[in-house]
Amino acid sequence: NAGVTQTPKFQVLKTGQSMTLQCAQDMNHEYMSWYRQDPGMGLRLIHYSVGAGITDQGEVPNGYNVSRSTTEDFPLRLLSAAPSQTSVYFCASTQAGYTDTQYFGPGTRLTVL
Amino acid sequence: DQQVKQNSPSLSVQEGRISILNCDYTNSMFDYFLWYKKYPAEGPTFLISISSIKDKNEDGRFTVFLNKSAKHLSLHIVPSQPGDSAVYFCAASARRGTYKYIFGTGTRLKVLA
């Protein structure tokens, strides 16, 4: 049981390049989400999904796309990277129930030059 | 506008003493609150939660207090241990089951041995 895994751990991009941040969970959680963490800003919700085939926008969705074709995977795509997207990205999945807790992956540190 | 605020960026406490971390919110629709702990280079991990129907919730050394009239919650750690040194985030949701959380900016706790 690996929990929530994210790849890569680190990535450097040039402005205008595209890439996909991978996220997978093996806990059969229906809900998955992507956050970014910037200094002094806390974690901000980018996109989330309540199940396969269903996605919606969070607080800061611009510049990012997501899809959810399976329960396990929730990739985040940057179509044309910008320096403002330099951040640490966390994927999370949620077990429905009393505490509604989220299980976070270890994060991807992205730098856009 | 920051809906969830943690006004103390850092806090230092002696081992064995009480640590009190504070969180204020502005949205009166928030009715479910969580605390997360984050170590460097790791994702946040769930610590404790509280629903707005309660004013206190305990789990071992950790207690969360909620003052709805003041829109304020606090996390008490007693006794504090060096392993508690981490960044603590509070998060709020307008309705359990929406799975959309607003996070505060975090407080870095350092427990001195």
Side-chain angles (χ1 to χ4, degrees):
Chain A
N1 189 335
V4 180
T5 57
Q6 292 183 238
T7 55
K9 284 187 170 18
F10 303 94
Q11 183 70 49
V12 179
L13 292 177
K14 294 181 179 178
T15 297
Q17 286 185 314
S18 63
M19 82 158 295
T20 299
L21 280 63
Q22 300 292 344
C23 174
Q25 54 95 4
D26 60 1
M27 297 173 283
N28 203 31
H29 290 171
E30 288 190 349
Y31 178 73
M32 296 183 74
S33 54
W34 276 102
Y35 292 88
R36 59 178 289 175
Q37 184 191 10
D38 301 297
M41 297 291 290
L43 282 82
R44 291 182 293 169
L45 183 65
I46 304 172
H47 285 286
Y48 66 99
S49 168
V50 297
I54 305 169
T55 63
D56 205 348
Q57 297 180 350
E59 294 177 76
V60 288
N62 292 339
Y64 308 95
N65 280 351
V66 292
S67 60
R68 184 95 179 271
S69 56
T70 66
T71 300
E72 295 78 19
D73 300 299
F74 190 43
L76 179 72
R77 280 183 288 276
L78 285 71
L79 298 178
S80 180
S84 61
Q85 294 178 304
T86 294
S87 188
V88 181
Y89 291 85
F90 291 101
C91 178
S93 71
T94 298
Q95 175 185 14
Y98 178 70
T99 54
D100 290 348
T101 61
Q102 295 193 83
Y103 294 83
F104 283 84
T108 294
R109 184 174 292 275
L110 175 68
T111 301
V112 182
L113 303 175
Chain B
D1 181 32
Q2 192 77 19
Q3 297 186 67
V4 178
K5 301 177 184 178
Q6 293 177 256
N7 292 319
S8 297
S10 63
L11 174 69
S12 291
V13 172
Q14 285 295 132
E15 180 179 7
R17 306 294 293 268
I18 184 172
S19 295
I20 300 176
L21 295 91
N22 294 305
C23 180
D24 296 295
Y25 61 96
T26 58
N27 190 338
S28 58
M29 298 299 292
F30 288 149
D31 66 356
Y32 193 68
F33 306 89
L34 306 95
W35 284 93
Y36 283 84
K37 178 168 73 173
K38 184 183 179 304
Y39 293 118
E42 295 182 11
T45 55
F46 170 76
L47 201 54
I48 193 168
S49 63
I50 188 166
S51 166
S52 61
I53 62 174
K54 295 184 175 182
D55 54 17
K56 177 182 174 182
N57 190 26
E58 287 181 84
D59 185 1
R61 297 186 296 114
F62 302 92
T63 302
V64 56
F65 295 92
L66 176 63
N67 183 333
K68 290 185 289 293
S69 60
K71 295 189 180 68
H72 176 84
L73 65 156
S74 61
L75 175 69
H76 293 210
I77 306 173
V78 183
S80 300
Q81 298 173 355
D84 296 328
S85 297
V87 177
Y88 289 79
F89 292 97
C90 66
S93 174
R95 185 162 50 91
R96 286 184 64 193
T98 62
Y99 304 113
K100 293 176 72 171
Y101 297 95
I102 305 295
F103 280 76
T105 53
T107 296
R108 184 179 301 278
L109 173 66
K110 187 171 183 179
V111 180
L112 306 169

